[in-house]
Amino acid sequence: MSTLAVDIRKLARRFAEPFAYAMDADFVKPSNVTLSLTNRCNLKCPTCAYWKTPDSAKETELTLDEMKRVLAQLREWLGPFQIGLTGGEPFLRNEIFDLIREADRLGIRVITVTNGSLLPARRVEQLREVALLPGRPVELVSLSLNHLDAAKHNETRGVDNSQQKIMAALDQLDFENRPYRLTFSTILMGYNIDHAAEMVRFVRERGMDGITFQILYFESGNSGYEPGWFTKSPFWDSDHAKIDRGMDELIRLKREGFPITNSADQMEWMRRYLKDPEAPITIPCKVGIANFDIDSNGEVRLCDVMGAVGNVRDTPPRELWEGIQAKERRKEIHVCEAACRIKTCNFRRPLTSIIGERLRGG
């Protein structure tokens, strides 16, 4: 499918979204599809609970054959689409390479975010091999990096050598004429906000394709929201002047063309959130008509902090999307006021903002 055709399809969907949102309807198909290969992780990030998942959890993870079947069902329903292979740490599953081969056979594009610690030269070569398949199935590889300073990054990861392994993986992944985009994914918090602009400049100087910022939110993988959680986080900083300086610089760099994938709109909301994470967020949350997240055991969620709408082990994806439980979940999402709507995986820019940027040539 041509780039123009993809852009037209995306634009048509965005015009339909307000109607689907107002009606809590399922007549639009999901635009953000993810498949978690595992909830397990080999790091010990203090901001995340996935690493606490026991090794025994792999007994309930979807098998390679089950994941291939789900990919085929999604392709039949959605047509050509892009899927995020996530975790936990997705490269804990050696099957990821065979799964990418199946995606190539089906004409599905793949993106993946990794902590980079399980990508020695041998495994990078495996990733390179599947990325160079005829359909060039790997669209993006993103490395999770929170700081260029090794000690500071490693503190956010709970292990001593995480940053060093990421930089080694970056050297291996960044080969000439690579067929995928190569980016950083960075959790934005008081701990690193005065360093974020330096990371943006590093990305451009290195010739990478971008950096995506994500807000520090209540522990990933944890159930139930704990009010005031941020007051206990060693990485939180409520210094408003510091936050303003950091966000002003990031937004300036974005407008000057530096490769920040977040929009200026989203970064303004991030600024408000970092100053007061429990203040009301007035923009609508549209994950109910956009997200289709498949957990490692097959459970499907439209919102990652709400209950599942079923399981792909016993029900095809389309039936789950159009089912009664999904309709009920959309109603719950519609009245939810949680701040997670400004997370990068959830944020939906106003259509007027997108059109305005296109008209300005941005």
Side-chain angles (χ1 to χ4, degrees), residues 74-95:
L74 287 167
R75 177 63 172 82
E76 181 180 3
W77 171 35
L78 301 175
F81 76 103
Q82 176 180 280
I83 190 167
L85 301 183
T86 67
E89 170 48 47
F91 285 93
L92 279 171
R93 297 281 303 267
N94 288 324
E95 297 95 328

Side-chain angles (χ1 to χ4, degrees), residues 139-279:
E139 174 71 23
L140 178 144
V141 177
S142 193
L143 297 167
S144 295
L145 184 73
N146 290 336
H147 214 291
L148 290 174
D149 181 275
K152 291 185 177 180
H153 170 82
N154 293 343
E155 185 177 359
T156 71
R157 294 306 186 202
V159 297
D160 291 335
N161 57 358
S162 170
Q163 192 265 4
Q164 295 88 334
K165 288 185 176 181
I166 286 178
M167 301 312 275
L170 175 61
D171 289 338
Q172 295 286 332
L173 289 164
D174 192 16
F175 60 89
E176 187 176 0
N177 297 322
R178 51 180 160 77
Y180 48 76
R181 290 181 292 127
L182 185 60
T183 67
F184 282 149
S185 293
T186 301
I187 299 176
L188 193 61
M189 43 193 163
Y191 184 78
N192 64 358
I193 195 166
D194 54 356
H195 176 72
E198 183 180 346
M199 295 186 68
V200 173
R201 294 187 181 94
F202 175 88
V203 164
R204 186 161 84 167
E205 291 167 4
R206 177 69 193 235
M208 297 172 66
D209 297 287
I211 181 169
T212 299
F213 292 106
Q214 179 67 283
I215 58 169
L216 175 61
Y217 196 67
F218 186 59
E219 282 188 8
S220 301
N222 209 338
S223 58
Y225 181 83
E226 180 185 334
W229 62 271
F230 50 92
T231 63
K232 304 174 185 177
S233 171
F235 305 114
W236 197 265
D237 191 330
S238 57
D239 184 336
H240 288 195
K242 179 180 178 181
I243 292 168
D244 279 332
R245 286 195 303 271
M247 296 310 301
D248 283 345
E249 180 70 356
L250 289 179
I251 292 170
R252 182 183 69 79
L253 292 175
K254 171 71 176 181
R255 289 174 173 159
E256 289 181 4
F258 279 75
I260 301 173
T261 65
N262 309 79
S263 67
D265 297 335
Q266 184 189 12
M267 288 192 284
E268 287 291 0
W269 281 107
M270 287 179 166
R271 181 204 303 267
R272 300 185 197 188
Y273 170 84
L274 290 170
K275 290 181 178 180
D276 185 357
E278 294 186 333

